[in-house]
Amino acid sequence: GAVVSQHPSWVICKSGTSVKIECRSLDFQATTMFWYRQFPKQSLMLMATSNEGSKATYEQGVEKDKFLINHASLTLSTLTVTSAHPEDSSFYICSANPGDPGLGFYGYTFGSGTRLTVV
Amino acid sequence: AQSVAQPEDQVNVAEGNPLTVKCTYSVSGNPYLFWYVQYPNRGLQFLLKYITGDNLVKGSYGFEAEFNKSQTSFHLKKPSALVSDSALYFCAVRDWQGSTLTFGKGTMLLVSP
């Protein structure tokens, strides 16, 4: 079935540094990927839609310069948290829709998530 | 705008008993409905979806959900709960034209031995 691989699973970084999170579709091509943020005991909040070969579409209230998204190929999207601060600490999850009936059309596959802790 | 409501923050059930996790939705046109489960510090695992067809949808791990258009509901059910079912459950919806999912706030299911 369709698999989305997300790395790293967890990362600790110092305030002011940048962190890159990768999201790969392993057995399908994803022209669109989605990045979510999840706070403890809360739901997933869509941050942005990543579009292959073009600019990402950010949700209202999400800082584009803080959360840089690059979708340079059909199988890889990256989220870079720039100049990280403790308030950026959260659980980040990526997702993609395989879009193929054999792989679960209309369904969405999620990465395993990245726990970011900024100290 | 589409929205999902999961009215219960937590559902407690004894092992072996039936369980229900409630979900209602609001969307323009025909809905695509999903249930996902999340274990601690993990991503979401797909349980089942409703796109069209039979209102009763069967999914992974013995879960099922019933689509009720008149009540705009998509409640998740299982005839006999297991302790291992304890996790956070999310209902999600998208409309037939869109590509983004909207999630409910999640319901924590706790199954006691």
Side-chain angles (χ1 to χ4, degrees):
Chain A
V3 177
V4 170
S5 175
Q6 185 173 345
H7 293 281
S9 297
W10 59 270
V11 58
I12 301 174
C13 70
K14 292 184 178 181
S15 290
T17 62
S18 296
V19 174
K20 180 184 287 188
I21 302 170
E22 292 188 348
C23 183
R24 294 181 184 273
S25 56
L26 297 187
D27 47 8
F28 66 98
Q29 294 183 331
T31 56
T32 302
M33 289 188 177
F34 307 93
W35 288 96
Y36 295 86
R37 182 174 182 176
Q38 185 181 27
F39 293 99
K41 297 184 179 181
Q42 293 190 28
S43 188
L44 282 73
M45 302 300 297
L46 180 65
M47 298 174 64
T49 302
S50 170
N51 304 299
E52 188 268 336
S54 65
K55 293 182 179 181
T57 304
Y58 290 82
E59 296 299 303
Q60 191 173 6
V62 177
E63 299 177 61
K64 300 178 183 180
D65 296 333
K66 159 70 76 175
F67 300 101
L68 298 180
I69 291 174
N70 184 279
H71 195 154
S73 78
L74 288 171
T75 58
L76 175 64
S77 174
T78 61
L79 169 66
T80 301
V81 183
T82 63
S83 187
H85 289 93
E87 56 266 30
D88 298 325
S89 298
S90 191
F91 194 58
Y92 294 88
I93 307 175
C94 67
S95 172
N97 182 352
D100 180 291
L103 293 176
F105 194 38
Y106 303 116
Y108 295 79
T109 299
F110 288 80
S112 56
T114 298
R115 172 70 61 191
L116 171 63
T117 302
V118 185
V119 298
Chain B
Q2 56 198 39
S3 65
V4 177
Q6 291 182 244
E8 304 151 316
D9 290 337
Q10 184 169 307
V11 169
N12 297 300
V13 64
E15 188 173 32
N17 285 356
L19 68 88
T20 299
V21 183
K22 296 180 180 178
C23 171
T24 59
Y25 66 90
S26 174
V27 70
S28 299
N30 294 323
Y32 296 161
L33 295 156
F34 305 84
W35 275 101
Y36 289 89
V37 60
Q38 184 182 34
Y39 295 95
N41 292 311
R42 300 297 300 275
L44 273 65
Q45 296 181 29
F46 171 81
L47 282 179
L48 51 80
K49 66 179 183 287
Y50 172 82
I51 305 299
T52 186
D54 290 341
N55 290 342
L56 184 63
V57 179
K58 294 187 181 297
S60 306
Y61 313 119
F63 285 93
E64 59 187 30
E66 185 168 12
F67 170 63
N68 188 316
K69 187 173 183 178
S70 62
Q71 297 185 5
T72 61
S73 67
F74 191 57
H75 302 329
L76 181 69
K77 300 181 179 183
K78 187 173 182 179
S80 179
L82 300 173
V83 173
S84 57
D85 292 331
S86 298
L88 187 58
Y89 289 80
F90 289 100
C91 181
V93 69
R94 57 158 275 199
D95 65 41
W96 66 279
Q97 288 182 310
S99 62
T100 59
L101 285 178
T102 298
F103 285 88
K105 63 181 175 61
T107 298
M108 178 62 71
L109 172 65
L110 294 178
V111 182
S112 56

